Amino acid sequence: MKTITFLFPLLLLASVKAEQYEDFCWASIIYGVYDCCPKNQPVYEENSLGKWGKINGNYCGIKTSIEDKEYFNRYPKEYFEYPQFKVRNVKVPDDYCWSKYVKTKSTGGNLKCCKSDDVPIYRFEMDGIIGYENNTFCGLKGFQTFWNDREKFVDTYDKYQAFKKKWDNEYRDNFERISVFPGEDESMLNFGWYSKTKTEPAIRVSKYKNMKPYVDFVGKIEFYREIGGQSYYSNKVTISGLERSSTYYYQRRLNNKWESAIKFNTYDPDNFKFIFVGDPQIGGSEGHVTYDNPTEPLSEVDGTKNDAFNWNMTIHKSLELTKEPSLLLSAGDQVNAFCMEGYDKQYELQEYEYSALLLPDPLKSLPMATTVGNHEIYTKAFKNHYHTPNSYETPLEPDLAPGYNYFFKYNNVLVIVLETNYGYCDDFKEVMRRAHLKYPNTDWRIVMFHHDIYSNGKFHSQESYITDTLRPCLSQLMTYYKIDLVINGHDHIYSASRLITYDKNEDLGFKSVQLTPGKTNKNVKGTYYVTANCSTGSKLFSFIEESKDYTNNFNQTYTSTFGVIDFEKDKKSHTVQMTVNYYEVDTLRQIDGPYIFSKSEKCWSERLGYPCCTTTKKAYTEDSDGKWGVEKGNYCGIIEEDIPFNTKPISSNIKLPKSCNAYEEGYPCCFKGDEGVASTSSQGWGSMKGSYWCKLISKDAETRPVPIVPPDYDPTIIKSTVTIPSLDDDTDNTNSKTNPSKPEPTNTDDCWSIPLGYPCCSNSYLPTLFTDDNGEWSVENDNWCGKIVSETPKENTCWSIQYGYECCKDPETPVYSKDSTGEWGIENNNWCGIVKNNNNNNNKKTTTTTKKASTTTKKASTTTTKKASTTTKKASTTTKKTITSTKKTTIKTTTTVVKTPESTGKCIEAWGQCGGTVNGKKYNGSTCCVSGYKCKEYNTNYAQCVPDN
């Protein structure tokens, strides 16, 4: 035996000769089944092994030179300058050759050892270096590890030894760990967990550690499967009503027993942080050799142990840096076990990995949102562990990807998560449409999905499924919906893109703008794509060394890493800022960044005391601040630069092949032509080019729709005409919410909107919010509904009930007020709606004061200065709010009435303000009203001139 230090690979590199081999037929020794293509054969596709041609349906390798294959990546020089990376001495056999013990990723098997150290390098593997000698691949002798083997580091060796004992005796077999997930918005949290009994799940919440008082939230439970001979049930609970900058405690009721209380905090809604990670891939250390045992590759059970420790480090070190993060985002492949064959033992191995993922204590109070990676897609564990919000339950492959697309709002950030294994472009369009429709006014939009569409990853980023299918579809959607940041994983390297904007007229299909770390990018257009590296270091791959047209930076540190997104709001300048940084776990040194993006806050009217519009884009009025719409009878600011609202669900024309038994085994059927590079067609299986396995079917099957979207695709957008209520209209035009109650339409036979997935409105008097080719749309019970419009209006109908008021019983009731909803009278000190019919239309007495007051207000609004315009608008809104308040309450005798002083020639016109406050200051104008009117005080903030009678 001899001792070799970890510096050996660097010494080895110095002796390697970069000799060039022309016409290198690499494919002939990959699996031993592929020939090389004839000269000048066009490239059919490219993957991590090389470039492939296709002749008569058979793949062949396109010859290259060995120099072209040098995709190896060295350790950064600074790696050895940090005490955290000081390594132990390792004892290995004399003439040690790693490739005798480790199956390489490149060839799928063990390699012979190189006879000489002076050979060309083909590539770096995580356990050693592959050379090329005598027309074949070989393993260079020596010991080196390019993955995060926790045995090798002096700094954490003792801690890891103690952890291994706890893992084996306490941690590993606990499959009932809780998952804390974001809710639909920042006021909610979703909880998910396994239980061994079918008892009602509940979460108890209190603001006090002693849990008194408390509120119980009850959820739902369903059977999942047996694991290791034990039945497990999936539990899901949602809690709501959470306030910002607060402290709470919660208890879980597990197997009908309340657990100890856990503390969690909510933070400043204007200044907060997200952590993001790529591919924890717990269990991915399987197959590596370690410092303590260089001749025995790790089993998946032992690999999970190593990765569980590293994942704990990633969580605790990222919190050490960020202090108080609000969310953790993980871009997929949280676990490693595929469970492709469906053996019970494989499910048990996968649950060991989930147990490790949910083990860190901070994750009991830090919500974690995850996406599905290609390693998790073959089981339903993702669905049963996590409780995703706003889940898309009806994708084209609902059996294979149930609810794996979802979205949520957190403060001023919209986060959309897409499932890119089985998902089709039509699925993505529908999820994006729904997310924008529900949360249109966030300042920032982030999308997360597993596959990296703009990176330099060697193993996946150039696969045809990514470049030809995912990239053209998703690039257009990201640009159309003005996505600021995309987070990916999959390739186990770090890569940061330029600002990407889809452009069909460009040769590459996009435009890109270089970014400079530390420079603030103000009001820029485009999407920033980040591919996060493996956050445990279980698998660390190489990258394509030449820079692509879209890359801004890329590297491989061969260490665990994570990213941080800082969100800030400057209330003085009314701007918001997003800053993205990337860090190394062990040292907390900055790997890349900061990339800083700044823009004006989207909801510009909030600083003036008004919300932004959520359903209308039509301007009621405009001033120097911007365009103003009306919703709920109140002014709202219109965000002009954003996209229109689309209320029409996406309809797909894709016909999926179903004539095979693959679905029984958890796989789809193949489209025609889906043989793939790694085909095993003799067993009835094909490969979905770079994504997942499918089962072969008859030759007359449909051909896969490629590209998924035409080059000139533009998402379906309805150009709507919008009916706007007047300023005195109290109708509720709010956007849709999840799980609304469904009203019964007035006539189901006439309900045209049911085939489109929406009920008809039960009340035809609801205001029209959108009009498209299908008909008129409104909102009822917090859900979109189709209006059934009669050709002739119904007479003698009490239209004011929908606004909470009875109709006037006396047909002679005089009109006291008139707005867009109808004519209003007063009976028994309460507002009532005057019904129009043939019997009393000609007998009503109408006052003229309303019309005069309206004219006066309009004149004041248009003739005041810029500053006064805002003030007048606020005063107008106050008047409107007063009218609304009066309509909603009875006219009580306790209302204070200010006696009208004698006229001095400066009295206030009808309906004008005569007391209260203006812009927070005491009103100092005249308190007398013109003849026939009196000054009525509604509250300390507002008094108005109303008729004496």
Side-chain angles (χ1 to χ4, degrees):
M1 301 289 286
K2 64 181 180 180
T3 300
I4 302 177
T5 68
F6 188 67
L7 291 178
F8 181 76
L10 292 186
L11 299 175
L12 179 65
L13 286 175
S15 65
V16 173
K17 182 171 64 176
E19 183 178 350
Q20 182 171 342
Y21 284 64
E22 300 292 344
D23 292 334
F24 171 55
C25 187
W26 55 273
S28 62
I29 50 177
I30 298 292
Y31 301 119
V33 296
Y34 295 101
D35 294 326
C36 284
C37 304
K39 193 172 183 180
N40 298 324
Q41 177 71 25
V43 176
Y44 179 74
E45 70 175 55
E46 181 178 1
N47 64 9
S48 61
L49 302 175
K51 296 178 180 179
W52 296 87
K54 200 171 186 180
I55 302 176
N56 298 325
N58 297 316
Y59 283 91
C60 57
I62 294 178
K63 294 180 181 180
T64 183
S65 67
I66 190 68
E67 191 174 77
D68 292 336
K69 300 298 295 181
E70 292 182 5
Y71 292 119
F72 54 85
N73 311 117
R74 296 170 175 82
Y75 276 105
K77 180 180 179 181
E78 62 270 19
Y79 179 93
F80 300 97
E81 298 175 356
Y82 294 92
Q84 291 90 339
F85 297 132
K86 181 180 179 182
V87 298
R88 302 165 49 237
N89 289 334
V90 59
K91 293 182 178 180
V92 297
D94 292 340
D95 211 27
Y96 176 80
C97 181
W98 65 275
S99 61
K100 290 173 58 177
Y101 309 102
V102 178
K103 293 182 179 181
T104 67
K105 184 173 178 62
S106 302
T107 64
N110 297 96
L111 293 175
K112 295 180 179 180
C113 297
C114 301
K115 295 180 180 179
S116 170
D117 290 339
D118 191 16
V119 297
I121 291 177
Y122 174 70
R123 80 165 73 213
F124 275 39
E125 292 279 330
M126 284 174 281
D127 294 278
I129 302 171
I130 298 177
Y132 187 70
E133 184 179 61
N134 298 326
N135 294 321
T136 188
F137 293 126
C138 56
L140 278 141
K141 295 177 182 179
F143 182 81
Q144 52 274 316
T145 54
F146 300 100
W147 61 284
N148 202 359
D149 175 14
R150 198 41 64 177
E151 300 277 7
K152 69 187 177 186
F153 297 117
V154 174
D155 189 51
T156 53
Y157 181 79
D158 291 338
K159 294 179 182 177
Y160 180 47
Q161 300 310 307
F163 176 85
K164 287 197 295 184
K165 293 179 181 179
K166 284 193 172 184
W167 174 259
D168 291 335
N169 298 323
E170 300 177 31
Y171 299 153
R172 188 190 70 179
D173 298 323
N174 184 356
F175 300 161
E176 296 178 298
R177 302 190 188 280
I178 196 166
S179 159
V180 184
F181 222 82
E184 293 183 14
D185 60 35
E186 63 277 2
S187 70
M188 306 168 76
L189 281 179
N190 286 356
F191 294 83
W193 68 88
Y194 288 179
S195 66
K196 296 177 182 178
T197 60
K198 191 177 181 180
T199 53
E200 185 179 58
I203 296 290
R204 176 169 291 175
V205 181
S206 176
K207 285 195 171 185
Y208 303 94
K209 191 174 183 180
N210 65 3
M211 302 302 294
K212 295 179 181 180
Y214 62 82
V215 177
D216 285 348
F217 295 87
V218 177
K220 58 183 180 179
I221 185 171
E222 62 181 6
F223 176 73
Y224 172 39
R225 64 172 296 117
E226 282 195 3
I227 305 170
Q230 170 68 54
S231 294
Y232 283 95
Y233 298 84
S234 173
N235 301 258
K236 296 180 180 180
V237 177
T238 296
I239 68 173
S240 59
L242 302 177
E243 299 173 344
R244 299 298 86 196
S245 303
S246 301
T247 296
Y248 294 92
Y249 297 85
Y250 77 85
Q251 291 176 283
R252 170 177 63 158
R253 186 164 67 193
L254 174 65
N255 299 320
N256 215 28
K257 294 182 180 179
W258 289 105
E259 296 181 316
S260 300
I262 296 173
K263 177 183 177 181
F264 71 99
N265 296 310
T266 61
Y267 301 110
D268 182 353
D270 294 330
N271 301 281
F272 54 97
K273 298 180 179 69
F274 292 172
I275 299 169
F276 69 93
V277 297
D279 301 65
Q281 200 130 357
I282 296 172
S285 295
E286 171 203 15
H288 295 319
V289 290
T290 69
Y291 258 56
D292 280 1
N293 197 348
T295 61
E296 185 71 30
L298 284 173
S299 67
E300 189 150 3
V301 172
D302 289 333
T304 299
K305 193 183 312 181
N306 179 85
D307 303 339
F309 182 87
N310 286 332
W311 176 243
N312 255 284
M313 278 194 64
T314 298
I315 296 302
H316 283 91
K317 294 291 285 186
S318 62
L319 264 70
E320 178 184 329
L321 178 74
T322 57
K323 307 301 181 186
E324 296 179 342
S326 293
L327 286 181
L328 170 64
L329 305 176
S330 180
D333 277 0
Q334 284 71 227
V335 298
N336 182 68
F338 275 113
C339 299
M340 290 176 66
E341 292 82 7
Y343 300 141
D344 290 341
K345 191 61 180 177
Q346 290 180 322
Y347 282 98
E348 193 170 2
L349 286 172
Q350 190 181 72
E351 291 304 331
Y352 291 158
E353 295 165 1
Y354 274 110
S355 179
L357 179 76
L358 300 173
L359 172 63
D361 278 339
L363 293 185
K364 295 176 183 177
S365 56
L366 175 63
M368 175 172 64
T370 60
T371 188
V372 180
N374 55 297
H375 279 254
E376 292 140 323
I377 201 64
Y378 298 105
T379 74
K380 296 298 188 293
F382 185 98
K383 174 187 176 182
N384 288 282
H385 271 294
Y386 304 125
H387 185 8
T388 56
N390 293 309
S391 304
Y392 180 43
E393 301 286 355
T394 55
L396 288 170
E397 291 282 14
D399 296 329
L400 302 176
Y404 293 168
N405 297 277
Y406 63 92
F407 58 90
F408 60 91
K409 183 183 81 71
Y410 197 90
N411 297 333
N412 63 340
V413 183
L414 170 62
V415 179
I416 305 172
V417 178
L418 301 177
E419 191 286 301
T420 50
N421 295 283
Y422 294 125
Y424 289 82
C425 195
D426 287 340
D427 292 326
F428 307 148
K429 286 189 279 185
E430 176 62 10
V431 175
M432 301 284 281
R433 182 194 71 84
R434 292 186 181 192
H436 171 257
L437 190 63
K438 186 166 185 178
Y439 304 120
N441 293 334
T442 56
D443 291 309
W444 303 106
R445 293 173 182 157
I446 296 175
V447 173
M448 182 168 67
F449 50 88
H450 184 59
H451 296 77
D452 50 331
I453 63 174
Y454 287 107
S455 92
N456 267 41
K458 177 66 182 83
F459 282 95
H460 295 301
S461 70
Q462 303 308 305
E463 291 171 347
S464 59
Y465 172 67
I466 290 177
T467 59
D468 300 341
T469 300
L470 291 179
R471 187 186 292 171
C473 165
L474 292 169
S475 296
Q476 295 173 70
L477 286 172
M478 299 306 113
T479 296
Y480 183 83
Y481 282 101
K482 299 182 179 179
I483 302 302
D484 300 287
L485 173 65
V486 169
I487 300 172
N488 299 140
H490 197 41
D491 246 314
H492 296 243
I493 67 159
Y494 170 74
S495 180
S497 80
R498 303 175 183 183
L499 271 181
I500 305 294
T501 304
Y502 171 76
D503 189 335
K504 66 181 180 182
N505 297 318
E506 293 290 319
D507 291 339
L508 297 173
F510 61 85
K511 292 180 179 179
S512 67
V513 177
Q514 192 79 31
L515 296 171
T516 303
K519 178 183 177 181
T520 300
N521 302 279
K522 296 182 179 180
N523 298 314
V524 293
K525 294 182 179 180
T527 304
Y528 176 51
Y529 294 79
V530 176
T531 300
N533 203 348
C534 176
S535 52
T536 63
S538 64
K539 292 182 179 180
L540 299 165
F541 298 159
S542 55
F543 51 75
I544 302 171
E545 295 202 357
E546 69 269 19
S547 182
K548 295 289 184 180
D549 294 308
Y550 49 73
T551 51
N552 203 72
N553 191 14
F554 57 93
N555 64 41
Q556 177 58 273
T557 62
Y558 294 101
T559 58
S560 303
T561 49
F562 66 94
V564 176
I565 315 169
D566 279 274
F567 298 98
E568 300 174 272
K569 180 180 286 189
D570 189 330
K571 294 184 178 180
K572 292 183 179 180
S573 63
H574 307 297
T575 58
V576 291
Q577 182 170 291
M578 178 180 72
T579 304
V580 183
N581 284 291
Y582 206 68
Y583 298 94
E584 185 173 64
V585 170
D586 293 71
T587 62
L588 294 182
R589 68 186 177 103
Q590 190 170 354
I591 302 300
D592 195 19
Y595 293 101
I596 307 169
F597 305 91
S598 176
K599 63 173 81 170
S600 299
E601 59 179 321
K602 186 169 290 183
C603 189
W604 53 269
S605 58
E606 279 188 350
R607 64 178 181 267
L608 302 173
Y610 303 90
C612 280
C613 303
T614 59
T615 59
T616 184
K617 294 289 184 182
K618 186 172 182 180
Y620 183 85
T621 186
E622 182 176 3
D623 62 14
S624 59
D625 296 312
K627 293 182 179 180
W628 297 86
V630 176
E631 290 178 350
K632 301 181 185 179
N634 294 321
Y635 277 114
C636 58
I638 295 175
I639 301 174
E640 286 189 277
E641 74 279 6
D642 238 351
I643 62 176
F645 298 117
N646 180 5
T647 61
K648 187 175 182 180
I650 300 300
S651 177
S652 178
N653 295 320
I654 296 176
K655 296 180 179 179
L656 299 180
K658 297 286 186 179
S659 55
C660 75
N661 64 348
Y663 286 90
E664 299 173 5
E665 305 175 46
Y667 300 89
C669 299
C670 294
F671 280 96
K672 184 178 180 180
D674 280 341
E675 299 86 9
V677 173
S679 172
T680 55
S681 56
S682 62
Q683 301 175 22
W685 291 93
S687 173
M688 296 292 252
K689 299 178 183 179
S691 181
Y692 49 79
W693 289 95
C694 62
K695 203 154 192 176
L696 297 171
I697 56 176
S698 59
K699 294 183 179 180
D700 58 352
E702 294 277 347
T703 301
R704 170 172 289 277
V706 176
I708 274 187
V709 292
D712 59 349
Y713 165 73
D714 187 23
T716 304
I717 295 298
I718 299 174
K719 297 179 180 179
S720 305
T721 59
V722 183
T723 303
I724 300 296
S726 75
L727 289 177
D728 293 331
D729 193 348
D730 299 321
T731 56
D732 185 356
N733 301 340
T734 53
N735 206 343
S736 60
K737 297 181 179 178
T738 303
N739 298 326
S741 58
K742 295 183 178 180
E744 293 296 327
T746 54
N747 186 339
T748 55
D749 293 336
D750 297 330
C751 186
W752 55 268
S753 59
I754 286 180
L756 302 176
Y758 298 91
C760 273
C761 307
S762 62
N763 193 332
S764 62
Y765 284 98
L766 289 173
T768 299
L769 302 181
F770 286 96
T771 300
D772 58 22
D773 294 338
N774 298 304
E776 297 181 13
W777 296 87
S778 190
V779 169
E780 186 173 46
N781 293 333
D782 291 331
N783 194 14
W784 291 103
C785 61
K787 292 183 62 177
I788 300 176
V789 182
S790 302
E791 294 183 3
T792 57
K794 296 180 181 179
E795 303 293 349
N796 301 311
T797 301
C798 186
W799 57 270
S800 59
I801 288 180
Q802 62 186 300
Y803 304 114
Y805 309 99
E806 297 291 339
C807 280
C808 304
K809 296 179 181 179
D810 183 358
E812 300 298 324
T813 301
V815 176
Y816 189 75
S817 178
K818 183 179 180 180
D819 58 25
S820 62
T821 61
E823 296 176 341
W824 297 88
I826 295 177
E827 286 184 346
N828 300 321
N829 288 331
N830 219 349
W831 289 99
C832 59
I834 297 175
V835 178
K836 293 183 179 181
N837 57 54
N838 295 329
N839 297 326
N840 67 359
N841 272 351
N842 298 325
N843 299 324
K844 290 197 270 306
K845 298 178 181 180
T846 304
T847 62
T848 58
T849 54
T850 301
K851 186 174 182 180
K852 182 178 180 181
S854 175
T855 306
T856 303
T857 304
K858 188 180 296 183
K859 181 177 180 181
S861 177
T862 56
T863 57
T864 50
T865 62
K866 179 180 179 181
K867 184 175 181 181
S869 173
T870 304
T871 303
T872 303
K873 188 189 302 114
K874 287 186 176 179
S876 174
T877 304
T878 305
T879 304
K880 167 175 53 61
K881 288 181 178 178
T882 302
I883 293 173
T884 303
S885 175
T886 306
K887 282 185 182 177
K888 291 182 178 179
T889 59
T890 59
I891 305 175
K892 299 178 181 179
T893 56
T894 54
T895 302
T896 303
V897 178
V898 181
K899 292 183 179 180
T900 306
E902 294 183 6
S903 175
T904 61
K906 297 182 180 179
C907 290
I908 304 300
E909 292 284 341
W911 306 104
Q913 183 177 0
C914 57
T917 60
V918 177
N919 292 335
K921 298 180 180 180
K922 186 177 180 181
Y923 171 83
N924 60 2
S926 176
T927 58
C928 74
C929 301
V930 295
S931 178
Y933 287 80
K934 61 188 176 184
C935 187
K936 179 178 178 180
E937 182 179 343
Y938 292 96
N939 52 53
T940 57
N941 294 318
Y942 195 75
Q944 182 181 27
C945 289
V946 301
D948 280 329
N949 58 0

